[in-house]
Each structure stands twice: as structure tokens, then as C-alpha cells.
Amino acid sequence: MKKGILSFASLAFLGALMSAQEIKFEEYDLPNGLHVILHQDNSSPLVTTSVYYSVGSKDEAKGRTGFAHFFEHLLFEGTKNIKRGDWSKIVSSNGGGNNATTDNDRTYYYEDFPSNNEQLGLWMEAERMRHAVISQIGVDTQREVVKEEKRLRFDNRPYGNLFTAITQTMFPASQYGWTPIGSMDDLNSAKLEEFQDFYKKFYIPNNAVLVVAGDIKPAQTKKWINDYFSTIPKGASITRNFTEDSPITQEKSVTFTDPNIQLPMYLYSYRTPGNTTRDSKIMDLVSSYLSGGKSSVLYKKLVDQDKKALQVSAESLAFEKAGVFACIAIPMGKTPEGELRSAIDNEIKKLQTDLISDEDLQKLQNKFENQFVNQNSNIHSRAESLATYYALTGNTNLINKEIDIYRGITKEDIRNAAKKYLNPNQRIIINYVPEKK
């Protein structure tokens, strides 16, 4: 019966993949270095205009953290031709939506418009790149916005500074050692000229990818792009001084306290390769095998059977140049940390010793094939994927081919990766515990 169910599921996923057409695109470079990607899909009257800037928290300097995320806010303040406070008003009054996101490696801005306002989206992003106003009033205003965001999302939220604990612990030397929100002290002490210099350094066409996706007419789109972007001056070449962290060769334990929690959380954290590597994708499968749902081995063992954990997961998080794999557990009752660690280590040891079953491998591949199809199921997500694949790898067609990497992962690959990266002498135990009253 199980084989029959699995075969039916496999056929369903295969059908979904076959029905997902190849994503076609056109790409070229402007003389100023701006990389342009066009994706035409006239199935609905919508257009996404987005710009990916290769600047994230890893491009900051110690003592001046939080700049990349700060600009995610600051560059909605206004431009030479868009009055302060009018950016979102213009977008919403023309039937659109807009936002931006920042992570450790990039900052991404977008507008979603009805296709009859495609030109407006292009003009606005060109304004952001060419004419953003970096003023003292804008800096002061957005400092307060970011402070409030930090209070709400991090300082006053249960387990809110968990990611901070991970980055500080796992990347003590490199620029991945702080989170994109950064330090409020750093932002407070920075002068206006430093923000202006950051804009001039990173917000340049030769550090950006422009994507226009949706209901477009490519010839007209190219003309608008040429009109608005081609005359923006090319910026100076960017020197990126990334510091590599030394390998972890001996297990150690660190403790962080959180006043907003009542239950401790324990993390068994290992350093892994960056997200452009094949091994990073193998670790994605390892993560899913260990804790992908209630049928996963860690959940069944620690939560269902032994009742030792209230919650357990294995998370694979990869940045451009490095990654983290963490097994995370919240104990049930007064279960000692050592018992959780022993149980998790036993499951990892099995993974390092025995091959997973054919059925389990097929389930994992089905899951990732389904995710691959879903993540590119609409215009907005396709635009972001196109920009990301080009910026990180130089291979935009991975939007069609990355799934082949996951399909090619074998049971031996999973066992070998667990052996290579998940050993006790390669980890740091993070005790994230309630602050004593």
C-alpha cells in the first residue's frame, strides 16, 4: 500500500513539473554595467519592476552595522523629482504595491503595477538609483522607524534575538557576525556624510540587476529602460573585503539570556558551505529528512515517542559565502539538555552510518520539486528568482535548471554530507535560556 501511495504522489509531482513551462527570459547589459533581465508573460495585466543591489549586511564594517537595512527604509524617503513622503502615495494611487527586503547579501526593491503603469515603475526605480535624497531629516526619521522595528521584532519578542545569538557565535570574525538590523549605537553615531557615501558606493548600475517581468512589450520596455537608466553614470569598482572565519575544530558551549522567554532553547550549530554550492543543497535535504514535518525522524523520536521535547527542528541556513546548520530543541518539562543532545546525536549518527531508504529519498525529492515549482508560480516571485540567480551565480537559467541539482542528490551524498559537516567537534552548543529574575 505504501508503494502505491508513493507512486501516486510521484506521478502527481511529475505532472505538476511537466505542466510548469520553462521560464523564458532575455538578458543584456547596458554600457554603465546595469544587468537587465526581461521576462514576458501576458497571461495577466501585471508588471513587476525590481532592482537587486548586491549590498547586504556582509558589506558593512564593524562599528557601522545596519546600513544596508537602513537604506531599505531610507530610499523610500524621496528623490530629486519625488517629494519626501510621496513614494508610496504615487504607487498606491496608480493601483500598485511596493516594498523592499534586506538580508546578509543583498537589498531588493520592487513595484507591482497594472501593466499600463509599467513606465512609471521604471521611472521610479531609475529615480531611486540616480537621484535619491539622503538628507538629515530623512536619516533622523528612519532611525526612529528602525529602532521601533528592532524593539518589536527583536528586543520585545520571545526568542527575538535568537538569530543574533547564532550569527555572533558562528561567525566571530566575518561580516556574517551581525544581523541585518545591525546596531542602533552604530546608526546613532554615523554622520550624514557616511550615509551619503554608502549610497554613492553601492547604489550604482554596475552593482545592480534590473528585472522587468509580466505583461510587457519587450521593444517598448527596452526603450524605456534605455531612456531612464542608460545615462546613469557607472560607479567605481567595489572592493569587498570579506573575512573568513576559522574552522570550528572543538566543541564548545555558549549561553545567551532572553527576558522574554520562560522555556530554554538549545541549539547544536555547525558551519556549512555557502548557498551557491552543491553541498548546501544536500544539507537542505538533510534538514528536511531530520525535521521536515511530524513524520520526520527527530519529531517522531523526541516529541512523539520519548516526550522529551516540546519542539524540535533541524534548520539549514545558507548565505552567499557560508552557512549554518542547527538542530534546535525546546525541552519538555525538566528534560536535561544532555538528554536532548544525546537523542539528536543518535539520529545524526544513524544518518552518517546508514543510507536512507529509497522511499525517504523519493519523498525528499518530491518535496523539493514541489517547492521549486511553487516558488516561481507567479510573476512577482519569478522576478526575484531571476535577479537572485544572476546576482549570486551569473547563471540566470538556474531558474529552470536548479531542480536538476536536487534531483541528482543521492543517498550516498546525504550520508557523506552528514559525515563531513555534523560532527561534535565541529559544533557550538548555544544555550538560549530565560533571564533570571
Side-chain angles (χ1 to χ4, degrees):
M1 179 61 74
K2 286 185 178 179
K3 288 185 178 179
I5 292 173
L6 180 60
S7 298
F8 182 80
S10 300
L11 288 172
F13 282 116
L14 180 61
L17 288 167
M18 292 178 67
S19 66
Q21 296 181 349
E22 180 183 7
I23 296 172
K24 297 181 179 180
F25 58 89
E26 178 183 358
E27 57 185 334
Y28 61 96
D29 290 316
L30 294 181
N32 59 11
L34 179 65
H35 191 75
V36 179
I37 303 173
L38 305 181
H39 166 57
Q40 184 178 11
D41 182 344
N42 305 115
S43 60
S44 59
L46 300 171
V47 172
T48 292
T49 300
S50 66
V51 183
Y52 178 119
Y53 291 93
S54 293
V55 54
S57 57
K58 83 166 186 306
D59 298 290
E60 300 161 353
K62 288 184 178 180
R64 285 296 181 265
T65 63
F67 269 48
H69 170 260
F70 190 75
F71 268 77
E72 174 196 321
H73 294 265
L74 188 61
L75 292 192
F76 285 99
E77 275 285 309
T79 74
K80 179 180 177 181
N81 297 301
I82 298 175
K83 290 173 57 178
R84 181 172 180 268
D86 278 2
W87 188 286
S88 293
K89 293 178 184 177
I90 293 171
V91 173
S92 61
S93 65
N94 285 278
N98 69 108
N99 212 331
T101 60
T102 310
D103 64 25
N104 302 73
D105 298 306
R106 64 96 172 103
T107 309
Y108 182 77
Y109 301 85
Y110 68 85
E111 281 77 38
D112 295 324
F113 274 120
S115 53
N116 61 348
N117 281 320
E118 175 191 351
Q119 183 179 8
L120 176 60
L122 286 165
W123 174 76
M124 294 183 77
E125 285 303 330
E127 276 290 300
R128 196 197 308 269
M129 187 181 293
R130 184 201 297 264
H131 286 145
V133 174
I134 313 299
S135 65
Q136 191 63 57
I137 187 173
V139 168
D140 292 342
T141 300
Q142 295 307 322
R143 273 197 187 114
E144 296 309 310
V145 173
V146 172
K147 287 178 184 177
E148 182 62 16
E149 179 182 354
K150 188 173 186 296
R151 284 190 288 266
L152 291 174
R153 293 181 54 197
F154 297 88
D155 298 339
N156 298 330
R157 182 178 178 182
Y159 306 101
N161 282 302
L162 183 64
F163 187 50
T164 302
I166 294 171
T167 55
Q168 287 181 1
T169 300
M170 301 305 294
F171 303 105
S174 79
Q175 290 89 329
Y176 288 137
W178 53 83
T179 59
I181 195 76
S183 162
M184 297 305 101
D185 288 341
D186 290 353
L187 293 176
N188 284 336
S189 60
K191 301 184 185 309
L192 177 62
E193 293 77 14
E194 294 178 76
F195 294 106
Q196 293 170 337
D197 289 345
F198 192 89
Y199 175 72
K200 292 174 185 176
K201 180 177 181 178
F202 291 108
Y203 282 83
I204 53 178
N206 45 311
N207 191 46
V209 180
L210 168 67
V211 180
V212 189
D215 185 24
I216 64 173
K217 297 177 180 178
Q220 177 63 76
T221 300
K222 289 179 184 179
K223 181 181 183 304
W224 285 329
I225 290 171
N226 186 68
D227 290 345
Y228 296 135
F229 289 92
S230 64
T231 57
I232 299 176
K234 184 176 183 177
S237 297
I238 299 171
T239 301
R240 302 179 195 267
N241 299 313
F242 184 78
T243 303
E244 297 283 349
D245 285 283
S246 300
I248 299 169
T249 58
Q250 184 176 357
E251 181 183 77
K252 70 174 183 178
S253 179
V254 298
T255 298
F256 289 83
T257 60
D258 187 334
N260 302 308
I261 63 174
Q262 296 181 356
L263 298 176
M265 178 181 284
Y266 303 110
L267 297 89
Y268 310 97
S269 304
Y270 310 79
R271 204 177 299 143
T272 51
N275 58 24
T276 61
T277 65
R278 184 172 183 269
D279 275 5
S280 175
K281 294 168 179 54
I282 297 173
M283 295 308 293
D284 288 341
L285 266 66
V286 172
S287 166
S288 187
Y289 174 78
L290 288 173
S291 71
K294 293 185 177 181
S295 63
S296 63
V297 294
L298 286 181
Y299 189 93
K300 285 195 296 186
K301 177 64 176 174
L302 274 79
V303 179
D304 276 354
Q305 296 176 16
D306 295 349
K307 303 291 191 295
K308 290 183 177 180
L310 184 66
Q311 181 178 321
V312 65
S313 66
E315 307 293 340
S316 180
L317 173 65
F319 310 125
E320 181 182 359
K321 296 181 179 295
V324 173
F325 187 96
C327 294
I328 306 172
I330 296 177
M332 176 72 77
K334 295 184 178 180
T335 303
E337 178 274 323
E339 289 188 18
L340 294 175
R341 181 174 7 122
S342 178
I344 291 172
D345 283 351
N346 286 340
E347 296 305 325
I348 291 176
K349 191 65 177 178
K350 292 177 186 176
L351 197 58
Q352 294 172 327
T353 306
D354 304 323
L355 295 176
I356 67 172
S357 69
D358 291 338
E359 181 180 354
D360 284 333
L361 179 62
Q362 187 65 60
K363 286 180 180 179
L364 291 172
Q365 292 183 334
N366 287 345
K367 177 180 179 179
F368 279 86
E369 288 180 357
N370 189 42
Q371 289 177 355
F372 184 77
V373 172
N374 288 338
Q375 77 179 14
N376 297 313
S377 61
N378 59 66
I379 294 296
H380 180 92
S381 58
R382 271 176 248 160
E384 185 167 4
S385 291
L386 287 163
T388 301
Y389 283 125
Y390 177 79
L392 290 180
T393 70
N395 183 4
T396 314
N397 199 43
L398 280 174
I399 196 170
N400 295 306
K401 296 298 184 181
E402 187 184 47
I403 190 57
D404 293 337
I405 301 174
Y406 284 101
R407 288 172 180 159
I409 294 172
T410 66
K411 295 182 290 184
E412 289 79 10
D413 289 332
I414 291 173
R415 181 182 63 186
N416 292 340
K419 283 183 180 180
K420 184 175 182 180
Y421 299 112
L422 304 183
N423 299 299
N425 67 306
Q426 296 171 298
R427 74 182 173 200
I428 299 177
I429 301 170
I430 301 175
N431 305 292
Y432 195 86
V433 299
E435 185 176 279
K436 293 182 179 179
K437 303 298 183 182

